[in-house]
Amino acid sequence: MSDQLPTVYRWLVSEFSEESRRAEVARLSPFLALHVKPGMRVLDLCAGTGAFALELERLGALVVAVDACAEMIARGKAQAEQHGSHTVFKQADVLEDDLGGNYDAVTFLGDSIADFPPAQFSRLVERLPGWLAPEGRLLVHYEDGFFPFIAAQRPREYVQQYDPVLLTCILSQYLSEQGAYVETYRNEATGEECEYYHYLYTPPLVEALVGGRLSLMERKSVSDSAWLDVYAREARS
Ligand SMILES: C[S@@+](CC[C@H](N)C(=O)[O-])C[C@H]1O[C@@H](n2cnc3c(N)ncnc32)[C@H](O)[C@@H]1O
């Protein structure tokens, strides 16, 4: 299992629960519905607790949801059971583990891309053709990483109650060489601290990284700063 998995996700499980993600899922669902059809086999990468995976299932897909964080997967399984869902949850590292193949679609949603430095994201991109069926599609949903700064939406320090933990978050560094900013999270209940590296992807950068392996078919604006890119395995004729 990759040692890169940010500790902070263990504290943020409730932030990614089906309930907390409801508005985000509702916003993206009509875009997903254009590409995800009943009976399709879908691999949802970095699925968290599976909020999007359950929506993909609602659209008729047969879904495998993977995430490296044991706590996320445990919550996902509990949610799935509650809904009588058939989605398969697997704890797995998308950079290393065998995730099967021949999927009609691979989804990478909820800005999970921002967890991967460009070199690691390229490694993931290299693995993509092996997961996709010949006519398969990759759906990447992400936020332009500069938007929060340009729109000055993110204060330098903020405190947030994430059920059940109170976290203080400080925007501690910007690393231009790595294209990342660093947030230091402090768990006020235990005093533990962890750093979270958030990599800044913009639409042209995503295309440059994925485009070497797959062809961009479509790019849809989901909100002011969020995008859904659809890539095909085969080159456009
Ligand atoms: C921003 S969250 C998004 C979760 C979910 N897609 C959503 O939108 O609700 C990113 C997720 O990626 C997972 N993750 C990060 N690195 C990973 C890796 N190498 N393999 C599998 N999962 C990973 C984290 O555990 C976290 O749950």
Side-chain angles (χ1 to χ4, degrees):
M1 191 70 61
S2 156
D3 54 7
Q4 303 288 332
L5 185 67
T7 308
V8 74
Y9 282 122
R10 295 194 348 242
W11 301 336
L12 294 182
V13 174
S14 66
E15 270 306 282
F16 288 96
S17 71
E18 193 206 358
E19 206 180 6
S20 303
R21 302 293 277 149
R22 201 160 282 158
E24 190 66 18
V25 169
R27 194 182 358 240
L28 191 63
S29 183
F31 296 94
L32 296 175
L34 298 173
H35 301 280
V36 176
K37 303 294 173 197
M40 277 173 67
R41 292 182 67 237
V42 177
L43 173 65
D44 189 29
L45 302 173
C46 298
T49 77
F52 282 112
L54 294 181
E55 183 65 9
L56 294 165
E57 180 177 354
R58 202 187 61 76
L59 294 173
L62 309 166
V63 187
V64 176
V66 299
D67 199 283
C69 176
E71 290 83 352
M72 291 279 188
I73 289 294
R75 177 75 165 254
K77 284 182 178 168
Q79 285 176 171
E81 206 174 318
Q82 213 179 323
H83 292 287
S85 153
H86 298 292
T87 291
V88 176
F89 283 86
K90 274 191 197 168
Q91 186 189 359
D93 186 332
V94 301
L95 297 174
E96 289 174 10
D97 294 326
D98 180 3
L99 306 180
N102 216 27
Y103 292 99
D104 301 302
V106 173
T107 53
F108 194 34
L109 309 175
D111 203 29
S112 298
I113 190 174
D115 285 351
F116 295 84
Q120 281 194 3
F121 182 50
S122 300
R123 219 167 105 203
L124 192 149
V125 170
E126 279 167 25
R127 304 194 74 197
L128 280 162
W131 294 326
L132 284 169
E135 300 293 321
R137 295 285 186 265
L138 166 70
L139 275 55
V140 191
H141 167 235
Y142 58 99
E143 181 172 34
D144 183 321
F146 286 97
F147 187 83
F149 297 100
I150 289 163
Q153 287 176 339
R154 197 178 289 246
R156 193 170 155 80
E157 179 167 347
Y158 57 97
V159 179
Q160 266 187 332
Q161 178 72 56
Y162 292 109
D163 181 30
V165 291
L166 183 70
L167 296 184
T168 306
C169 178
I170 300 173
L171 176 60
S172 40
Q173 277 184 82
Y174 171 60
L175 305 171
S176 56
E177 243 179 81
Q178 294 181 41
Y181 61 89
V182 184
E183 292 171 317
T184 304
Y185 280 89
R186 182 180 159 82
N187 182 330
E188 297 296 342
T190 63
E192 272 175 283
E193 283 192 349
C194 76
E195 285 190 334
Y196 175 66
Y197 283 59
H198 190 102
Y199 295 92
L200 299 174
Y201 286 107
T202 59
L205 180 53
V206 174
E207 187 177 349
L209 286 165
V210 185
R213 291 274 168 170
L214 304 172
S215 335
L216 180 64
M217 306 297 287
E218 190 180 300
R219 168 166 287 155
K220 282 257 161 54
S221 165
V222 177
S223 70
D224 279 353
S225 57
W227 301 89
L228 180 72
D229 285 3
V230 179
Y231 292 86
R233 214 182 118 161
E234 306 299 334
R236 263 179 297 193
S237 52

